Amino acid sequence: MYSVGVNALGNDVSVAIVREDGVIVALAEEERYSGVKGSTRAATAEWVWSVLDEFSVPPRDVTHLTFPRIQAHHLLRAPGAGADPVAARAGDGYATLVRTLAARLPNLLTVAEVRHHTAHAASAMCTATTADPTGVTCDGVGEVQTAGIHVRTPQGLRTLWSRRLPHSLGLVYEAVADWLGLDGVEKEGKLMGLSAYGQPTQVELLTKEVFDPVTFELDGGQDRTPDELKREIRSRLVAAIGPGTAAPGEFYSPQQLEIAASAQAVAEDALARLIAHSFDLHRAEEVACAGGVFLNSLANGRLLASSPYRHHWVPPFVGDTGSSLGAALLALGSPRVDLDSPFLGSELGAVDRDPPAGYWSVPLDREWSTQVAGWLLDGWIIGWAEGRSEVGPRALGHRSILASAFDQRTRDRLNDTIKQREGWRPFAPVVIEEDTPALFGGCRTVTYMNQVLDCVAPQLVPSGVHVDDTARVQTVGDEPAMSRLRQLLLAVKERRGHGVVINTSLNVRGMPIARSLDDVARTALDCSLDAVVLDGVAWVRHDRAPR
């Protein structure tokens, strides 16, 4: 029997399937199927059926169907300036989807909606490493809630503290990104990267005009819809500072960069205070974090320095993708489950197919890791695909683009011609655990690339560090699902003394991470990758001679 969670509307539309004994069967992200980054913003019954079929779950075996939002609670938001026909149509479609799915699942025991932040909390608390963590959630907005502190009780998860609209750290951070002219579903990530170029000299202005990290409140905020709130915040910034968008062809001004750095500092201060308050309310060993604000890996890394907790757990699906998993787990009574790996998406499938046009197949023998390491160190940029795809917004070693961390020119080529994105944006290194202290200090394990660390030897990995000598690191230990990547990193270590390469997502700008082998082939062509390494075979571009 299975519990199914469906995040049906908004960003990160997804389906989670959990077996009744707590085994996570799958976490499918709609964007990987539709090719629309951030999702098409609405699930269809046909897509949900296709996911059940892909993972061999008969509809008759689904006993619980849960949605991580209470649609009626959206009516508690401020009505805004006039009716929103798009939102009304979305609500109608959501109701139809619920009815359609329930009607075609003949043995359902429960059909339920749960609060969005409760689902976020469950996704982190149920997969945490200890039995009784404190759950902390923070995002733009759920139904009306924007942050919360949660604990486990015999009756289920309980919220001890919460904030609601208009007091939203997530919306404030997004509004600053909008003011700066950053765009796309990853604009908050761009703001995080941009913050390294400035100094946080405008913290007082932001806390006075916008958001107070002490009270976790929007200064002078009144009830607004989320879009109205963001417009109001942008207007305050324009009135206090002026326009934020950089002129065409120019980098940001010092003042604009100061605002970026200050917004990051305010976010870190607010989150640190939220974590400290959660410990005051529930003195656990571990804090389990979820919600889109915890995609801020720079804040995650710095929170550890001041945290009262012994352990911090930030799963790879902290965004709304994870809310479907939390919903499925809540229906089963919020059990503790083992997150063995983040590879919960689609299988790559058999690789014995013709390569894409312009590539030839090169069989890989027992010395394949030495061969591929040589390609990387010669400046090749390669795709890397195997097994099931990872979940969440970051490539974790099954759908990746890899490149040398030892050559600054590699990063420039990655930004300019491969990823086709802003040249100031950093890339993330993936490193074997035993080399982490020599490059990044300490002995920290960062499995899911969700923390930024200071680099103690930036000269050794020039394409893997940001302008402030930090890096969003992923470490590789002895996890079975990472054995091939570890073998490659060890071969790089043999040649260069450290087992580290650049790891970025296998996609081109504006597209989601590749899911299927067809996606991999299309990305190879769109990005003009030098090679794509699969399990047992490589596709090598015709103008690249195999070593």
Side-chain angles (χ1 to χ4, degrees), residues 82-145:
D84 184 348
V86 175
R89 286 198 299 273
D92 292 343
Y94 172 77
T96 300
L97 174 69
V98 173
R99 289 194 300 268
T100 301
L101 292 178
R104 292 177 61 180
L105 297 170
N107 294 316
L108 279 177
L109 300 176
T110 63
V111 180
E113 296 177 323
V114 295
R115 289 182 178 180
H116 186 74
H117 272 250
T118 306
H120 268 318
S123 72
M125 295 172 72
C126 293
T127 57
T129 59
T130 60
D132 187 31
T134 307
V136 175
T137 58
C138 188
D139 63 6
V141 61
E143 298 89 351
V144 293
Q145 192 175 344

Side-chain angles (χ1 to χ4, degrees), residues 52-70:
L52 294 177
D53 183 64
E54 177 182 356
F55 295 100
S56 303
V57 175
R60 67 178 180 275
D61 290 346
V62 177
T63 52
H64 302 282
L65 177 65
T66 313
F67 299 86
R69 57 187 287 140
I70 298 178

Side-chain angles (χ1 to χ4, degrees), residues 25 75 78 127 157 172 178 195 226 239 279 297 316 372 393 424 430 459 482:
V25 175
L75 300 177
T127 57
L157 300 191
V172 167
D178 291 339
S195 70
F279 187 74
S297 50
V372 175
W424 48 264
V430 55
Q459 73 282 0
M482 300 293 281

Side-chain angles (χ1 to χ4, degrees), residues 7 116 149 166 242 272 288 297 314 335 385 400 438 521:
N7 182 38
H116 186 74
I149 297 171
S297 50
V314 182
S400 293

Side-chain angles (χ1 to χ4, degrees), residues 149-172:
I149 297 171
H150 315 264
V151 295
R152 187 187 293 275
T153 74
Q155 292 74 39
L157 300 191
R158 178 186 169 204
T159 301
L160 298 182
W161 174 96
S162 67
R163 275 288 180 266
R164 55 173 291 165
L165 289 174
H167 309 297
S168 171
L169 176 62
L171 290 180
V172 167

Side-chain angles (χ1 to χ4, degrees), residues 343 396-398 430 474 476 479-487:
F343 306 112
L396 299 173
H398 277 199
V430 55
Q474 179 189 5
V476 176
E479 306 93 336
M482 300 293 281
S483 60
R484 291 185 69 247
L485 182 56
R486 179 175 174 82
Q487 189 174 345

Side-chain angles (χ1 to χ4, degrees), residues 220-241:
Q222 300 176 359
D223 280 349
R224 300 282 192 278
T225 66
D227 285 341
E228 288 171 344
L229 277 170
K230 288 184 286 185
R231 285 195 295 270
E232 178 185 332
I233 294 164
R234 292 198 301 272
S235 296
R236 293 185 190 185
L237 291 172
V238 170
I241 304 163

Side-chain angles (χ1 to χ4, degrees), residues 388-447:
R388 295 180 67 176
S389 59
E390 49 268 79
V391 296
R394 290 165 185 153
L396 299 173
H398 277 199
R399 302 290 187 275
S400 293
I401 292 174
L402 305 180
S404 172
F406 306 109
D407 188 343
Q408 175 67 41
R409 294 171 297 179
T410 301
R411 186 175 74 179
D412 296 339
R413 183 183 166 207
L414 270 172
N415 269 328
D416 293 343
T417 63
I418 303 296
K419 302 291 284 188
Q420 301 168 25
R421 65 182 203 175
E422 298 89 347
W424 48 264
R425 293 175 64 183
F427 288 99
V430 55
V431 57
I432 52 175
E433 277 188 356
E434 54 266 41
D435 283 353
T436 306
L439 295 175
F440 304 103
C443 299
R444 193 178 302 173
T445 298
V446 189
T447 309

